[in-house]
């Protein structure tokens, strides 16, 4: 259980961390999410989540999606390179079931790992 934690060291916390990733990112895109990554120099991958109120109107939907993204990241973090990752929610992401969100994110994690190792 300890290896799947989501501690402070695994999160992007400040606006400067987010700006660093946005400036020069490697994307992985699906109809519901965009995942951006950039090498971090850290010993573990780190995650940031942005779900705009304009795209996902209801707070309980944004909270559910954030929980699912964090859970998926915790389970897949050991297969990811040491990069800073930002997950951006698109319109319609709130209509997905939990299983659809997990399967979409699994595909994006694999795509991202492949692209980051190539570059």
């Amino acid at each position: 259980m300890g290896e799947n934690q989501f501690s402070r060291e695994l999160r992007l916390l400040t606006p400067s961390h987010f700006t660093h990733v946005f400036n020069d990112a490697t994307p992985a895109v699906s109809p519901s999410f965009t995942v951006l990554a950039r090498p971090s120099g850290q010993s573990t991958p780190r995650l940031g989540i942005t779900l705009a109120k304009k795209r996902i109107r209801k707070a309980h939907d944004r909270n559910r999606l954030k929980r699912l993204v964090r859970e998926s990241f915790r389970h897949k973090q050991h297969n990811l390179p040491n990069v800073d990752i930002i997950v951006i929610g698109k319109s319609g992401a709130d209509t997905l079931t939990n299983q659809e969100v997990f399967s979409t994110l699994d595909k994006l994690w694999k795509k991202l790992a492949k692209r980051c190792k190539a570059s």
Side-chain angles (χ1 to χ4, degrees), residues 54-98:
K54 183 177 181 179
R55 302 278 176 234
I56 301 165
R57 297 295 300 165
K58 297 181 179 170
H60 64 86
D61 288 330
R62 289 193 303 276
N63 293 337
R64 178 181 68 92
L65 288 171
K66 283 192 259 187
R67 269 196 319 272
L68 294 172
V69 169
R70 285 192 300 261
E71 183 74 11
S72 177
F73 175 78
R74 281 190 3 219
H75 289 292
K76 300 295 179 181
Q77 69 183 345
H78 304 294
N79 301 331
L80 296 171
N82 296 334
V83 293
D84 288 343
I85 300 168
I86 297 177
V87 177
I88 304 167
K90 295 182 180 179
S91 297
D94 55 339
T95 62
L96 298 176
T97 65
N98 291 358

Side-chain angles (χ1 to χ4, degrees), residues 9-40:
E9 293 80 31
L10 298 176
R11 291 183 273 165
L12 297 177
L13 298 171
T14 64
S16 63
H17 292 154
F18 280 82
T19 304
H20 173 74
V21 177
F22 282 127
N23 285 340
D24 183 29
T26 302
V29 181
S30 78
S32 303
F33 297 99
T34 297
V35 178
L36 303 173
R38 184 172 183 187
S40 66

Side-chain angles (χ1 to χ4, degrees), residues 79-117:
N79 301 331
L80 296 171
N82 296 334
V83 293
D84 288 343
I85 300 168
I86 297 177
V87 177
I88 304 167
K90 295 182 180 179
S91 297
D94 55 339
T95 62
L96 298 176
T97 65
N98 291 358
Q99 189 57 42
E100 289 170 333
V101 171
F102 276 121
S103 66
T104 301
L105 289 172
D106 282 346
K107 290 176 189 171
L108 290 173
W109 299 138
K110 289 176 186 171
K111 189 186 295 187
L112 193 65
K114 188 176 179 182
R115 288 184 179 172
C116 288
K117 287 193 195 297

